[in-house]
Amino acid sequence: MSSRTSDVLVVGGGIIGLVTAWRAAQRGFAAAVVDPAPGGGAAQVAAGMLAAVTELHFGEQTLLGLNLESARRYPRFAAELTELTGQDLGYRRCGTLAVALDADDRAHLRELHTLQRQSGLESEWLSGRDCRRLEPLLAPGVRGGLRVDADHQIDPRRLAAALVTACERAGVAFHRAWAERLVVARDRAAGVVTADGTELAAGQVVLAGGSLSGRLAGVPADVVPPVRPVKGQVVRLTVPPRYAPFLSRTVRAVVRGSAVYLVPRENGELVLGATSEELGFDTTVTAGGVYELLRDAHELVPGITELPLAETRAGLRPGSPDNAPLLGPTALPGLLLATGHHRNGVLLTPVTGDALAHALTTGELPPEARPFTPARFSRAAAADAPRRSGQPA
Ligand code: GLY
């Protein structure tokens, strides 16, 4: 069993693991990533909406603060990555239009608008006619919508590729293997053992394994992150130059209770997403999933049926019990988490990198990330325990 040493070892080379390793290396740590295919993961499927305002949900006000903070950091983050790597990230400040097709959808959108305004967010109610003035290919049946100029997009595949390059330039070591087991020595995380038996020793370990984060053996039971896979199927179409510009901004809606969005890229890709399915680690693309996406997207923008179909794919969001990420130190010294980003991994990439770099350096989360400590779940479990066992609290 050979042993290679780093200051910070990141388990998982998706965008969250990569940004953590990159930021750690920039702070002077000898950083490494263990992953069989760095740059892969959910970012290969995600549409890349930076949708703090249009993806606001009731009960997620605390998460909104982190989402907005990360959105605020995006322009500088994207510029820094592009300058360092010479790679275009497809960062497009195009805004979003959320529309309604029937009375129920419109009532839903009105509720969202109220919540947005109560939260101090900018969002403008438009008539159906005004929606079509902005996006002429919208269906005649669109009954109204919300114009949100602050919700943008980035191409997650390009983001992942640029982060790999940035890590390489910053001297991050890549171990192309599966991390199988956490090594704990003298009551602290001390590295991992990979599937081929290699031991990778480290001063600190960051578990950033996306939906697989709960599966690393050797993690003490009370520290295992409560993360589960939430399947999302996505369809990619191509807009031939003769149809461009097909849509000028992201268009989304809730159709019969299911969210659907169309994200137009400058390179002609049009991403349709996404299902949300609790099926464990299943990434099968199903006829039903693709049918529903195409059916709902077609109701919004009938012209999509003319476009070439480029790809269908399914990915796994790392869902957490409160839909918010788990960031920073755990109860096991030397082990930190950067996982559970659920629907917001691409949006939260900049703030996660900064928060983890801060935590690795100081042992504490910065103020904006403190509500997302993994300890909130152990505290909740401890508070629930007497009630569950029927004893007085
Ligand atoms: N944020 C988009 C999705 O999770 O489908």
Side-chain angles (χ1 to χ4, degrees):
M1 180 186 287
S2 66
S3 180
R4 281 171 277 169
T5 303
S6 49
D7 298 329
V8 172
L9 177 64
V10 181
V11 180
I15 51 175
I16 295 298
L18 291 170
V19 78
T20 300
W22 176 43
R23 291 305 196 198
Q26 286 180 320
R27 298 259 183 143
F29 290 108
V33 171
V34 53
D35 189 305
Q44 291 300 315
V45 181
M49 290 180 300
L50 308 175
V53 181
T54 42
E55 284 211 3
L56 177 60
H57 288 75
F58 285 97
E60 294 185 3
Q61 247 76 5
T62 311
L63 175 59
L64 172 66
L66 193 69
N67 286 345
L68 289 173
E69 182 53 34
S70 206
R72 195 183 64 76
R73 295 182 193 190
Y74 238 102
R76 280 183 65 181
F77 170 79
E80 182 184 354
L81 254 184
T82 297
E83 193 172 323
L84 258 171
T85 64
Q87 295 174 29
D88 173 20
L89 308 179
Y91 179 46
R92 195 172 170 198
R93 303 176 82 169
C94 57
T96 297
L97 184 63
V99 300
L101 281 168
D102 62 21
D104 284 351
D105 296 346
R106 193 163 61 173
H108 172 91
L109 216 51
R110 286 277 189 201
E111 292 291 317
L112 175 63
H113 193 213
T114 304
L115 181 62
Q116 289 168 336
R117 283 190 310 190
Q118 283 168 351
S119 309
L121 303 170
E122 284 202 20
S123 165
E124 184 189 0
W125 182 265
L126 299 181
S127 66
R129 182 175 301 177
D130 285 341
C131 290
R132 279 187 297 280
R133 217 169 268 144
L134 280 183
E135 296 297 339
L137 294 187
L138 280 174
V142 164
R143 316 238 327 224
L146 291 175
R147 175 179 176 161
V148 175
D149 288 341
D151 278 1
H152 304 310
Q153 60 155 300
I154 195 163
D155 184 336
R157 292 177 177 175
R158 292 179 185 212
L159 173 63
L163 283 169
V164 170
T165 304
C167 283
E168 284 166 351
R169 300 245 166 106
V172 173
F174 284 108
H175 303 289
R176 287 179 166 75
W178 282 108
E180 205 160 75
R181 182 168 54 82
L182 182 74
V183 177
V184 179
R186 288 193 279 284
D187 292 331
R188 68 172 283 130
V192 303
V193 177
T194 64
D196 65 4
T198 303
E199 182 169 337
L200 305 173
Q204 301 186 76
V205 177
V206 181
L207 182 47
S211 59
L212 291 164
S213 297
R215 292 207 146 186
L216 184 67
V219 178
D222 58 337
V223 176
V224 173
V227 171
R228 67 184 196 285
V230 181
K231 177 178 173 181
Q233 301 191 47
V234 165
V235 172
R236 283 176 160 78
L237 308 177
T238 306
V239 179
R242 68 180 182 282
Y243 290 138
F246 192 79
L247 294 173
S248 64
R249 71 201 70 221
T250 296
V251 170
R252 57 184 303 149
V254 174
V255 180
R256 290 177 293 270
S258 300
V260 63
Y261 44 80
L262 298 88
V263 182
R265 303 223 196 282
E266 253 152 17
N267 66 4
E269 185 174 82
L270 180 66
V271 186
L272 312 185
T275 65
S276 189
E277 303 165 78
E278 304 269 358
L279 292 173
F281 288 93
D282 168 43
T283 51
T284 313
V285 175
T286 63
V290 171
Y291 164 72
E292 282 171 25
L293 287 176
L294 289 173
R295 179 197 62 198
D296 295 349
H298 174 254
E299 282 190 39
L300 293 178
V301 182
I304 62 156
T305 49
E306 303 295 320
L307 304 179
L309 176 64
E311 186 186 302
T312 57
R313 199 151 163 189
L316 299 172
R317 306 174 184 87
S320 78
D322 59 6
N323 299 332
L326 293 91
L327 304 176
T330 66
L332 178 67
L335 181 68
L336 297 88
L337 299 183
T339 187
H341 292 70
H342 198 198
R343 299 186 306 266
N344 295 300
V346 180
L347 172 60
L348 290 174
T349 296
V351 82
T352 299
D354 295 344
L356 266 289
H358 186 96
L360 288 162
T361 310
T362 66
E364 289 182 356
L365 285 167
E368 68 276 9
R370 278 184 205 147
F372 306 97
T373 168
R376 71 190 189 276
F377 294 117
S378 7
R379 282 197 298 261
D384 273 359
R387 269 180 274 144
R388 277 205 303 266
S389 64
Q391 292 162 8

